[in-house]
Amino acid sequence: MSIPVLALLFLIIGLIGLVWSANLFVSGSASVAKHVGMTPMMIGLTVVAFGTSAPEMIVSADAALNGIPAMGVGNAIGSNIANIGLVLGVTALIATIPVNAGLMRLEVPLLLAVTALAAICLWDYQLTYIEGWILLGSTIPVSVILIRHARNASKQSKALGDIEGAVDESAEIDVDIPDLSRWKSVLWLIIGLIALLGFADLLVSSARTLAEYMGVSPMVIGLTIVALGTSLPELAASVTSALKGHHEIAIGNIVGSNILNLLAVMALPGIIASTSLESSVISRDLLTMTLLTLALVIVMWIKTRISNTSQGIGRVIGLLFIAAYIAYYAVIFLNNS
C-alpha cells in the first residue's frame, strides 16, 4: 500500500477516533460535573461547550507542537466557515431554523467583536505569542458574560411565568448526562482525554504527510480536510436535532462554537509557536469567514427586525450558504491545482 493511501487511511481513522473520544470525554466530564453538584444548565454552558471544542483545540495544539502551527490556524478559520456554510446550510435544508431575537442583543455582537479581533491579530500574516495570549485570555470574560446572560434570561423567563419560553431557554443549554458512577465517570474522562491526544497526533501526522505528497501547505489541509473533519460532530448534532424537532438551537450553537474557535482554538498555535501565515489567509480565508459571518448576521437581523415573521432560515438561504461553501472549496482547489 502506497504512502499517500496509508496517510489518507490514518487520517480517516484519526477523524473517526476524534469523534469517538470527544464523545467519551464530554460524557465523562458531564457526569463528573453532575456528581460534584453542577446543574444541567451550567454543565451545558461550560463542560459541554468546551468539551465539544476539545478536538479542534487539541488538533491545533498538536499541530503547533509538531512544527506546523499554520495548520492549527487553518483549522480554526476553516471550522468557522464549515459551521456557517455547511452545518447551518444542511440543517436549513432539513427544517426551517427559527431565529432567536435574543441572540442579536449579546451573542451576535460578541461574535462580530471576536471576528474583528481575530482579523487584527492576523492582519500582518503573523500570529505571535502575545496575540495568542490576548485571544485565549479573552475566552474567560466572554464565557462569563455568556453564562451570566443565559442564567439571567432563564430566570426572567421563569419570573414572567412564560412556561413555554422557560422550556425553550433550557432546551438550548440542557444536555443528556449519562447515568454513570463517580469512578466510571472519571475513567471515561481520562480514557477520552488520552484517546483525544492520541487520535489528534495521528490526524496531524497523516495530514502533514498528505500535504507533502499533494504539494500543498499544511494551512490548506487545515482549512479543508482537518476543519471539515472536526466540524462533522457539529453537523451530526445539528442534523439529529433538526430531525427530532429541536432545530431552534442550531444558530445559537454555531455562534457559540465560532466564538470559541477564534478565541481558544486559534490562540494555541500562536502561544506554542509564533506562526507565519500565507498571504491568502487574509485575501481568501479570513475574508470568506468574515463575509459568511456578516451574511448570517444580516439574515438574522432581517428575520427579526424587517420581516417581523417567524419564518426563520429556510431552504433557499440554506442552499445559498452551501453554494458559498462549495465555491470556497473550488477557489482553494483552483489556487492549488
Side-chain angles (χ1 to χ4, degrees):
M1 191 176 293
S2 63
I3 292 179
V5 173
L6 278 175
L8 182 60
L9 177 62
F10 285 142
L11 186 142
I12 294 173
I13 293 173
L15 288 173
I16 295 174
L18 274 179
V19 175
W20 171 80
S21 55
N23 182 65
L24 193 66
F25 175 71
V26 170
S27 297
S29 302
S31 185
V32 168
K34 179 182 177 182
H35 280 295
V36 299
M38 289 181 66
T39 64
M41 180 185 75
M42 292 303 298
I43 293 173
L45 286 168
T46 56
V47 176
V48 175
F50 281 90
T52 51
S53 295
E56 288 94 335
M57 295 174 68
I58 293 177
V59 166
S60 292
D62 192 273
L65 290 171
N66 279 278
I68 44 176
M71 182 184 291
V73 176
N75 180 28
I77 297 175
S79 292
N80 279 19
I81 294 173
N83 281 344
I84 298 176
L86 180 65
V87 177
L88 185 62
V90 171
T91 305
L93 291 182
I94 297 173
T96 300
I97 305 173
V99 179
N100 186 348
L103 292 174
M104 299 297 295
R105 291 192 290 269
L106 180 65
E107 284 86 350
V108 167
L110 277 177
L111 175 61
L112 291 175
V114 168
T115 302
L117 177 61
I120 293 172
C121 290
L122 299 181
W123 197 253
D124 59 351
Y125 311 111
Q126 299 281 334
L127 184 62
T128 64
Y129 178 81
I130 295 176
E131 289 169 339
W133 275 113
I134 290 175
L135 291 172
L136 188 61
S138 301
T139 305
I140 297 175
V142 168
S143 299
V144 170
I145 291 172
L146 290 175
I147 290 171
R148 287 182 175 177
H149 175 69
R151 295 180 67 178
N152 291 335
S154 181
K155 290 178 181 178
Q156 290 174 4
S157 181
K158 293 177 182 178
L160 291 173
D162 185 357
I163 298 177
E164 182 179 355
V167 172
D168 288 343
E169 186 71 32
S170 63
E172 293 190 22
I173 50 183
D174 200 0
V175 291
D176 293 326
I177 304 173
D179 186 17
L180 302 173
S181 66
R182 186 182 300 271
W183 291 111
K184 192 172 183 179
S185 302
V186 174
L187 182 63
W188 280 31
L189 188 155
I190 294 174
I191 294 176
L193 180 58
I194 294 174
L196 269 174
L197 295 171
F199 284 116
D201 190 64
L202 178 64
L203 173 65
V204 170
S205 299
S206 55
R208 182 177 194 168
T209 301
L210 202 59
E212 291 173 351
Y213 173 78
M214 296 173 63
V216 300
S217 68
M219 179 81 181
V220 170
I221 296 296
L223 285 162
T224 54
I225 299 175
V226 176
L228 176 60
T230 54
S231 295
L232 289 179
E234 283 88 349
L235 177 61
S238 295
V239 170
T240 301
S241 297
L243 293 174
K244 291 181 178 180
H246 301 307
H247 44 274
E248 70 278 356
I249 69 174
I251 296 181
N253 286 344
I254 287 173
V255 170
S257 177
N258 282 15
I259 290 174
L260 203 58
N261 281 340
L262 293 178
L263 292 182
V265 177
M266 196 171 75
L268 295 177
I271 292 173
I272 295 172
S274 292
T275 307
S276 297
L277 304 170
E278 304 168 12
S279 59
S280 58
V281 171
I282 302 296
S283 61
R284 182 190 64 200
D285 310 316
L286 187 63
L287 178 62
T288 300
M289 184 192 75
T290 303
L291 290 177
L292 279 176
T293 300
L294 291 175
L296 175 60
V297 172
I298 291 171
V299 168
M300 293 175 64
W301 184 78
I302 291 174
K303 293 296 181 181
T304 56
R305 299 300 176 91
I306 295 181
S307 63
N308 196 28
T309 67
S310 58
Q311 293 178 350
I313 298 177
R315 289 187 176 89
V316 174
I317 297 176
L319 284 172
L320 290 175
F321 278 131
I322 293 174
Y325 184 69
I326 294 174
Y328 170 68
Y329 263 64
V331 170
I332 291 180
F333 176 78
L334 292 174
N335 288 344
N336 290 275
S337 62

